[in-house]
């Protein structure tokens, strides 16, 4: 940057000198700030900003919700949309869809897109991505997360965070930690053993800190060990900041702070949105009365809290400033470019999961088919609703639009069922007569060659929506009954489920094809139509288990004790056995297993080998697997590598995902998949020793197409005489 001689960088205060190391700039700025200025930057000044330090030229920090795009603007002090005409965005598919791609390169493009659009909109902190673990299919916020497996979430979140922050915009990883239900989220206390905490619920957060260098983290609403997570000594001071050496800022969720002393001493750095539920209401202009505002100032002035405690928070916030809005070299950003639209489309294409396809019912060949498209989700704008992840996309192609563009004039539509308008505090009734809609849909189905039923959930309250959980595992709005009536008059019916959660499928045996489509963002309609027509060969894999019934999930094994909680506490009695780990342990056959996803072609797994047979700690296991496409069309296959231990000293899952690789294989071609597994990744957490342990043992590595579809296995030996590792 060119500057007048009179203001050359050597003559500037250190905190304004771009050439000085960040830590020197931080210390210089802290030393110049008054107590009032330090207090001010630790809490909000509006719904989505903090004030900075105007006297020193340190700018405001501006936050925006995510993680699927940049949210529309709000008025200064309430939850009303500002009504701007230039605050639209590219809507990316939901994170469940991103996870189902099993493609870290797409996670990088995803983060790059969000980062560029956030920068263009002059945002400094994007509130996302989310990496909480899928524990119950009722959780209203699962669609914002990356599934049930900690390795998958860890692998996908790292490139997302790196690419987003390359734009000089901070990712804000959320919700730290154990936010696995929305019901009673602002008061429930989670009791989970130390092993499950470290093996299941923390790995993705740890990866984002240690591998991606995430700049901010958001606390969750719930409690852990009886203390709210946004100011929890164990989670923040001991694990996040001490064990993982996190040097960024710890931020509340909106309304998740509850106590000044705990906030000050237990690691909270920025307090946002107190006395609000984060969705619909809040006390007006209460910022100076926040826990870390006037009350904290009084405790410091009285000597009850040392100002050094405050200084550590200020350093972390200033470090955030210097990484974002005081970095003059950060890119300018861009909005809704062709590259952004292409990223949204490619994530949707690769994330769609073909669950069932009897007798190659799909794909449908465009031509003279009379297609009945039935269901509200074929036309509903699914970027609206859901809570803080709501978006205002510049474009949002519906499934019906995409199908008409590919299949032409033979497409007719019936609504079939209808929900009410999105609302964040109550279920809204449908304005239509359900029986009339159903009759019209059945009449249309009877006259069609093929029926495409677009059902599932939506982002209304008590569906896939922040603030509460689903009431049932079943499809809402009478969809199960409607599907049965449609199939009775036309068995050539494919069901397309739009959701961020698993649903019961009592009609599964009576339909030839089922597609899991997620919330697909701006280009969802095109992606769906391309998959249904065969223009794109589906390659998505489920990031969570779809059980046959709700009671097959471990969170629903212990009555209210295990979900949603008794006397304010929910007990994670299943420990480490979440998702497919539980199904394997209890030999429960799921409806569709974790990692399941069909293709329009077939893959055969061939030679499977490791680079050698024995390894020591610190080394890397290198794997190779031959895969042949024996079908008639090109396709992409994700090979999943699971590991079992022969004789563990503590109980372990039957197998655990430790690597995966996705490649496109042309028809008739054989390709070699390569994968690496660090030997130390075979360790487990011993809560008696409070450390990770790697046994001297034999391990079995499985090459699989899904967690219930193992194709090849091999054995390796780990020689480890010092069993405790860091």
């Amino acid at each position: 940057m060119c500057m007048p001689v009179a203001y050359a960088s050597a003559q500037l205060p250190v905190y304004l000198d771009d050439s000085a190391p960040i830590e020197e700039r931080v210390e210089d700025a802290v030393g110049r700030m008054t107590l009032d200025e330090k207090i001010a930057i630790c809490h909000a000044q509006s719904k989505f900003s903090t004030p900075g330090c105007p006297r020193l030229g340190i700018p405001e920090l501006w936050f925006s919700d995510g993680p699927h795009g940049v949210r529309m603007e709000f008025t200064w002090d309430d939850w009303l949309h500002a009504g701007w005409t230039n605050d639209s965005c590219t809507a990316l598919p939901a994170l469940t869809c991103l996870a189902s791609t099993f493609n870290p390169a797409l996670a990088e493009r995803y983060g790059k897109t969000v980062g560029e659009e956030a920068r263009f909109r002059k945002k400094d902190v994007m509130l996302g991505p989310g990496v909480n673990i899928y524990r119950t299919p009722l959780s209203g916020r699962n669609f914002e997360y990356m599934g049930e497996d900690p390795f998958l979430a860890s692998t996908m979140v790292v490139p997302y965070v790196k690419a987003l922050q390359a734009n000089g915009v901070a990712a804000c990883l959320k919700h730290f930690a154990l936010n696995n239900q929305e019901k009673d989220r602002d008061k429930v206390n989670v009791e989970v053993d130390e092993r499950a905490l470290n093996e299941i619920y923390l790995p993705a957060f740890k990866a984002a800190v240690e591998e991606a260098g995430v700049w901010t983290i958001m606390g969750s609403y719930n409690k852990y060990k009886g203390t709210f997570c946004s100011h929890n000594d164990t989670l923040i001071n001991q694990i996040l900041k001490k064990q993982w050496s996190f040097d960024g800022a710890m931020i509340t969720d909106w309304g998740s702070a509850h106590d000044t002393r705990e906030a000050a001493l237990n690691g909270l750095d920025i307090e946002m949105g107190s006395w609000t539920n984060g969705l619909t209401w809040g006390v007006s202009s209460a910022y100076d009365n926040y826990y870390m505002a006037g009350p904290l100032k009084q405790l410091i002035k009285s000597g009850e809290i040392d100002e050094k405690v405050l200084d550590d928070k200020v350093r972390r916030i200033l470090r955030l400033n210097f990484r974002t809005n005081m970095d003059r070299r950060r890119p300018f950003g861009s909005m809704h470019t062709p590259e952004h639209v292409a990223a949204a489309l490619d994530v949707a294409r690769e994330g769609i999961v073909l669950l069932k396809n009897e007798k190659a019912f799909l794909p449908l060949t465009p031509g003279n088919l009379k297609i009945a498209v039935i269901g509200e989700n074929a036309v509903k704008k699914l970027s609206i609703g859901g809570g803080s992840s709501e978006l205002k996309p510049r474009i949002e192609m519906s499934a019906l639009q995409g199908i008409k563009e590919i299949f032409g004039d033979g497409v007719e539509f019936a609504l079939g069922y209808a929900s009410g308008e999105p609302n964040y505090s109550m279920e809204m009734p449908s304005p239509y007569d359900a029986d009339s809609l159903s009759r019209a849909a059945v009449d249309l189905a009877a006259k069609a060659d093929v029926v495409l039923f677009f059902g599932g959930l939506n982002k209304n309250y008590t569906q896939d929506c922040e603030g509460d959980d689903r009431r049932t595992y079943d499809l809402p709005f009478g969809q199960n009954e409607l599907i049965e009536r449609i199939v009775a008059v036309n068995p050539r019916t494919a069901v397309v489920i739009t959701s961020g959660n698993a649903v019961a499928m009592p009609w599964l045996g009576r339909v030839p094809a089922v597609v899991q489509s997620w919330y697909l963002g701006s280009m969802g309609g095109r992606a769906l139509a391309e998959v249904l027509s065969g223009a794109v060969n589906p390659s998505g894999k489920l990031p969570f288990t779809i059980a046959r019934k709700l009671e097959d999930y471990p969170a629903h094994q212990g009555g209210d004790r295990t979900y949603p909680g008794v006397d304010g506490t929910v007990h994670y009695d299943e420990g480490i056995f979440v998702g497919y780990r539980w199904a394997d342990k209890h030999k429960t056959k799921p409806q569709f297993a974790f990692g399941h996803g069909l293709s329009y072609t077939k893959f055969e797994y061939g030679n499977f080998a490791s680079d050698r047979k024995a390894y020591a700690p610190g080394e890397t296991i290198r794997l190779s697997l031959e895969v042949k496409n024996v079908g008639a069309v090109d396709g992409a296959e994700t090979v999943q590598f699971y590991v079992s231990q022969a004789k563990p000293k503590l109980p372990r899952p039957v197998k655990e995902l430790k690597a995966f690789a996705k490649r496109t294989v042309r028809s008739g071609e054989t390709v070699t998949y390569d994968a690496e597994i660090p030997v130390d990744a075979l360790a487990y957490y011993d809560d008696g020793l409070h450390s990770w342990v790697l046994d001297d043992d034999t391990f079995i590595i499985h090459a699989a197409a899904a967690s219930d579809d193992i194709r090849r296995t091999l054995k390796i030996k780990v020689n480890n005489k010092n069993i405790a590792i860091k």
Side-chain angles (χ1 to χ4, degrees):
M1 178 178 179
C2 295
M3 303 181 68
V5 174
Y7 297 99
S9 60
Q11 298 174 342
L12 290 171
V14 171
Y15 75 93
L16 291 177
D17 183 358
D18 278 351
S19 65
I22 282 182
E23 296 309 310
E24 290 184 16
R25 300 176 72 190
V26 167
E27 290 304 318
D28 182 51
V30 170
R32 296 170 185 269
M33 295 175 71
T34 67
L35 176 60
D36 285 341
E37 289 169 338
K38 293 175 184 178
I39 290 287
I41 70 169
C42 290
H43 64 83
Q45 64 169 353
S46 74
K47 277 288 181 282
F48 285 97
S49 70
T50 56
C53 184
R55 180 179 66 87
L56 296 180
I58 296 170
E60 302 165 322
L61 285 168
W62 281 92
F63 302 73
S64 177
D65 274 314
H68 310 132
V70 190
R71 196 180 186 186
M72 67 282 282
E73 299 296 330
F74 282 74
T75 55
W76 183 264
D77 192 43
D78 57 36
W79 292 107
L80 298 176
H81 295 161
W84 291 15
T85 58
N86 62 346
D87 58 345
S88 61
C89 69
T90 303
L92 279 295
L95 288 185
T96 43
C97 180
L98 177 62
S100 70
T101 70
F102 278 70
N103 188 340
L106 278 181
E108 181 179 11
R109 287 176 64 192
Y110 194 117
K112 181 175 185 289
T113 299
V114 174
E116 288 176 351
E117 297 207 351
R119 177 69 186 99
F120 183 86
R121 289 268 302 277
K122 297 179 172 56
K123 306 302 179 185
D124 304 306
V125 181
M126 280 299 295
L127 304 176
V131 291
N132 293 104
I133 293 296
Y134 188 108
R135 180 175 180 261
T136 165
L138 300 187
S139 179
R141 219 161 180 182
N142 277 337
F143 72 97
E144 289 188 55
Y145 302 143
M146 297 190 187
E148 71 184 34
D149 185 78
F151 178 80
L152 174 61
S154 299
T155 304
M156 297 299 284
V157 75
V158 168
Y160 179 120
V161 169
K162 285 183 176 179
L164 191 157
Q165 293 188 164
N167 291 279
V169 177
C172 185
L173 199 68
K174 62 185 188 184
H175 299 88
F176 192 66
L178 302 164
N179 178 202
N180 309 113
Q181 66 188 67
E182 286 295 287
K183 186 174 180 60
D184 300 327
R185 69 176 185 176
D186 58 345
K187 58 187 176 184
V188 69
N189 177 52
V190 175
E191 288 292 335
V192 61
D193 64 71
E194 188 178 345
R195 184 179 180 193
L197 180 70
N198 282 275
E199 289 192 19
I200 303 296
Y201 297 103
L202 293 186
F205 289 100
K206 183 179 182 182
V209 172
E210 295 188 341
E211 298 176 40
V214 70
W215 292 340
T216 65
I217 290 179
M218 179 187 290
S220 58
Y221 285 106
N222 50 282
K223 300 176 185 177
Y224 168 60
K225 290 186 174 180
T227 302
F228 284 102
C229 291
S230 284
H231 35 74
N232 186 293
D233 179 67
T234 300
L235 290 176
I236 304 172
N237 286 339
Q238 304 307 316
I239 295 176
L240 179 63
K241 293 184 175 180
K242 184 176 180 181
Q243 292 182 24
W244 301 348
S245 301
F246 174 64
D247 69 353
M250 181 72 193
I251 303 173
T252 64
D253 205 335
W254 273 234
S256 67
H258 296 271
D259 182 87
T260 296
R261 186 177 298 276
E262 285 187 4
L265 299 179
N266 291 353
L268 180 62
D269 300 312
I270 301 177
E271 179 184 358
M272 301 296 297
S274 289
W275 299 296
T276 173
N277 66 352
L279 280 172
T280 57
W281 64 268
V283 177
S284 178
S285 300
Y287 306 107
D288 288 341
N289 296 323
Y290 277 18
Y291 297 102
M292 286 175 47
L296 177 57
K297 178 182 175 181
Q298 292 306 312
L299 290 179
I300 292 173
K301 291 184 71 174
S302 69
E304 295 181 58
I305 291 179
D306 195 313
E307 190 170 344
K308 292 180 180 178
V309 173
L310 176 62
D311 287 347
D312 179 70
K313 304 178 191 305
V314 173
R315 288 186 181 95
R316 292 172 179 274
I317 297 165
L318 290 172
R319 195 175 291 127
L320 177 60
N321 278 108
F322 292 135
R323 286 168 167 168
T324 58
N325 57 25
M326 292 188 73
D327 179 3
R328 295 184 178 92
R329 291 160 294 195
R330 66 175 177 165
F332 290 115
S334 55
M335 175 59 67
H336 202 69
T337 66
E339 291 78 12
H340 298 170
V341 176
L345 179 58
D346 286 345
V347 172
R349 285 167 169 162
E350 289 201 29
I352 293 169
V353 182
L354 181 60
L355 296 177
K356 179 181 180 181
N357 195 27
E358 282 185 352
K359 298 180 180 178
F361 183 81
L362 296 175
L364 303 175
T365 302
N368 296 320
L369 281 177
K370 291 175 61 179
I371 300 176
V373 173
I374 296 172
E376 182 184 60
N377 277 353
V379 295
K380 190 177 182 68
K381 289 190 178 297
L382 293 167
S383 60
I384 298 172
S388 59
S389 65
E390 67 174 351
L391 296 172
K392 187 168 78 174
R394 186 171 296 181
I395 59 170
E396 183 174 0
M397 182 182 288
S398 71
L400 180 61
Q401 181 183 350
I403 289 168
K404 283 186 172 181
E405 286 185 1
I406 286 182
F407 289 93
D409 296 335
V411 177
E412 294 188 61
F413 172 71
L415 195 60
Y417 68 91
S419 61
E421 290 298 311
N423 186 292
Y424 294 147
S425 58
M426 67 181 70
E427 298 177 66
M428 301 297 288
S430 168
Y432 303 106
D433 178 71
D435 189 54
S436 297
L437 293 178
S438 178
R439 286 199 307 270
V442 172
D443 289 345
L444 180 63
K447 296 180 288 185
D449 297 324
V450 172
V451 177
L452 296 176
F453 181 86
F454 287 83
L457 308 177
N458 59 33
K459 293 185 180 177
N460 289 10
Y461 188 68
T462 71
Q463 297 298 313
D464 282 329
C465 184
E466 179 182 357
D468 208 340
D469 288 344
R470 297 164 62 194
R471 303 288 190 252
T472 173
Y473 193 45
D474 288 322
L475 288 173
F477 320 123
Q479 290 179 67
N480 286 338
E481 296 79 5
L482 178 57
I483 292 171
E484 297 283 6
R485 293 185 64 191
I486 289 171
V487 173
V489 300
N490 193 335
R492 288 180 56 77
T493 297
V495 176
V496 180
I497 298 294
T498 297
S499 71
N501 263 309
V503 299
M505 302 180 188
W507 33 261
L508 181 63
R510 290 180 286 284
V511 299
V514 181
V515 174
Q516 177 68 50
S517 78
W518 320 111
Y519 301 108
L520 296 178
S522 287
M523 301 305 295
R526 177 171 298 172
L528 268 172
E530 289 176 342
V531 167
L532 295 171
S533 68
V536 168
N537 192 348
S539 63
K541 300 281 189 173
L542 283 177
F544 53 70
T545 302
I546 298 180
R548 295 176 183 273
K549 58 184 185 298
L550 184 64
E551 293 74 22
D552 288 344
Y553 290 94
H556 297 274
Q557 294 285 318
D560 288 349
R561 170 185 169 85
T562 53
Y563 175 86
V566 175
D567 297 329
T569 295
V570 59
H571 298 265
Y572 288 19
D573 290 346
E574 70 276 9
I576 61 173
F577 296 98
V578 176
Y580 68 87
R581 292 165 169 82
W582 177 269
D584 284 350
K585 178 183 179 182
H586 294 276
K587 299 179 179 172
T588 302
K589 184 174 177 57
Q591 193 81 76
F592 297 106
F594 172 86
H596 171 79
L598 304 177
S599 170
Y600 295 147
T601 191
K602 297 290 184 183
F603 301 98
E604 286 185 353
Y605 289 26
N607 293 329
F608 183 35
S610 57
D611 59 329
R612 58 185 195 276
K613 298 302 180 184
Y615 300 87
E619 295 181 338
T620 298
I621 305 163
R622 292 178 173 83
L623 304 169
S624 64
L625 172 73
E626 291 183 351
V627 175
K628 183 175 183 179
N629 183 341
V630 296
V633 296
D634 300 347
E637 171 70 333
T638 298
V639 178
Q640 300 149 53
F641 298 95
Y642 297 86
V643 177
S644 306
Q645 184 175 347
K647 297 179 180 179
K649 293 182 173 62
L650 292 180
R652 298 198 72 172
V654 172
K655 62 181 181 296
E656 297 179 275
L657 185 70
K658 293 298 180 183
F660 58 83
K662 185 174 189 176
R663 292 195 59 181
T664 296
V665 188
R666 294 191 299 271
S667 175
E669 182 184 26
T670 298
V671 302
T672 299
Y673 282 62
D674 297 313
E676 295 184 349
I677 301 175
V679 172
D680 291 354
L682 306 184
Y684 57 86
Y685 191 87
D686 187 326
D687 44 11
L689 298 174
H690 307 291
S691 68
W692 290 88
V693 169
L694 180 63
D695 289 338
D696 190 311
D697 201 356
T698 296
F699 292 81
I700 301 94
I701 304 177
H702 314 274
S707 62
D708 66 345
D709 187 6
I710 294 172
R711 305 287 184 88
R712 294 287 185 272
T713 62
L714 58 81
K715 293 182 179 180
I716 57 104
K717 182 74 172 67
V718 171
N719 299 310
N720 183 24
K721 303 306 179 185
N722 301 311
I723 64 170
I725 66 172
K726 291 183 179 180

